């Protein structure tokens, strides 16, 4: 039994949700708009400013889709209200990042700089030469773009040179600087 799927999702003020017959969900909020096609097997209802997800049967597939559908909708609502972000740290001599308009320019020890165009709905910020912050309303897009940036120079296991995800402690230390 999915315990997560049973929880109702509260709809905050300023958020508009549209759900059609085939479970195509559109969520609009202050941080942007996110839409996704969810499984048509699940039953999604909006009642009293809350969203309820129900499953048609008790078979294994419907049980797993139940929790997944509820979590995807909750993530969409959180994305358009609070937003998501991933912080990447660059470590290595001569490795740095800079922002020029909508382009992210990475110098990672190759013979040429790497230029990446920001995808639609994603905002990239470079507060320091060794720090990149990827922000957006769609959790999946933010994670994918952060992974694309990281793939250009993954951290090597011995000295840690490369691009890596920041840990919570490192973020606290950077905030104090």
């Amino acid at each position: 039994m999915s315990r997560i799927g049973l929880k109702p999702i509260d709809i905050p003020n300023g958020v508009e949700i549209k759900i059609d017959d085939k479970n195509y969900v559109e969520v609009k909020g202050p941080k942007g708009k996110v839409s996704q096609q969810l499984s048509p097997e699940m039953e999604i209802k909006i009642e009293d400013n809350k969203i309820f997800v129900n499953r048609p049967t008790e078979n294994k597939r419907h049980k797993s889709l139940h929790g997944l559908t509820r979590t995807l909708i909750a993530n969409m609502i959180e994305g358009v209200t609070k937003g998501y972000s991933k912080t990447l740290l660059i470590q290595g001599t001569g490795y740095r990042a800079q922002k020029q308009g909508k382009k992210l320019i990475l110098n990672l020890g190759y013979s040429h700089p790497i230029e990446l165009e920001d995808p639609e709905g994603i905002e990239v910020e470079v507060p320091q030469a060794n720090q990149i912050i990827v922000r957006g309303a769609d959790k999946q897009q933010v994670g994918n773009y952060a992974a694309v940036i990281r793939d250009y120079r993954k951290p090597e296991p011995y000295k840690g040179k490369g691009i890596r995800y920041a840990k919570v402690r490192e973020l606290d230390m950077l905030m104090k600087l």
Side-chain angles (χ1 to χ4, degrees):
M1 179 159 109
S2 173
R3 293 192 175 114
I4 293 173
L6 294 175
K7 292 182 182 177
I9 307 165
D10 292 327
I11 303 172
N13 294 334
V15 175
E16 293 179 33
I17 298 177
K18 293 180 186 174
I19 303 170
D20 71 359
D21 331 352
K22 297 177 183 168
N23 285 352
Y24 183 77
V25 179
E26 270 188 33
V27 182
K28 290 182 187 176
K31 297 269 185 183
K33 175 184 159 188
V34 181
S35 58
Q36 189 169 1
Q37 175 66 49
L38 300 175
S39 175
E41 297 174 41
M42 291 293 112
E43 184 181 318
I44 304 170
K45 294 180 191 173
I46 300 176
E47 296 175 3
D48 299 330
N49 223 18
K50 292 183 186 232
I51 299 175
F52 295 94
V53 179
N54 298 316
R55 61 177 175 250
T57 65
E58 292 294 319
N59 71 24
K60 190 173 183 176
R61 175 173 165 72
H62 288 154
K63 285 181 180 181
S64 59
L65 281 174
H66 190 207
L68 173 71
T69 304
R70 190 248 179 231
T71 303
L72 289 174
I73 295 170
N75 286 345
M76 291 166 72
I77 291 172
E78 186 178 337
V80 298
T81 54
K82 298 177 187 173
Y84 288 102
S85 70
K86 289 253 184 198
T87 304
L88 300 165
L89 297 177
I90 302 173
Q91 187 175 358
T93 306
Y95 293 3
R96 65 182 179 276
Q98 63 188 40
K99 190 81 166 125
Q100 286 182 352
K102 299 269 298 167
K103 282 189 178 180
L104 175 68
I105 299 172
L106 302 170
N107 292 320
L108 300 172
Y110 296 116
S111 61
H112 60 286
I114 298 164
E115 294 183 6
L116 298 172
E117 189 78 30
D118 293 349
E120 189 177 325
I122 297 291
E123 180 184 318
V124 178
E125 187 181 320
V126 183
Q128 300 172 4
N130 66 342
Q131 185 181 8
I132 303 168
I133 300 173
V134 181
R135 290 194 172 114
D138 191 350
K139 187 175 187 176
Q140 186 175 352
Q141 262 190 329
V142 169
N144 283 345
Y145 192 57
V148 166
I149 294 170
R150 183 177 177 263
D151 277 344
Y152 282 101
R153 185 67 86 172
K154 287 186 179 175
E156 57 107 24
Y158 300 107
K159 293 185 180 179
K161 289 169 41 174
I163 302 174
R164 59 189 165 88
Y165 296 112
K167 297 177 186 169
V168 175
R169 285 189 205 149
E170 293 168 339
L171 289 175
D172 290 341
M173 289 172 47
L174 285 172
M175 294 300 220
K176 291 177 184 175
L177 294 177

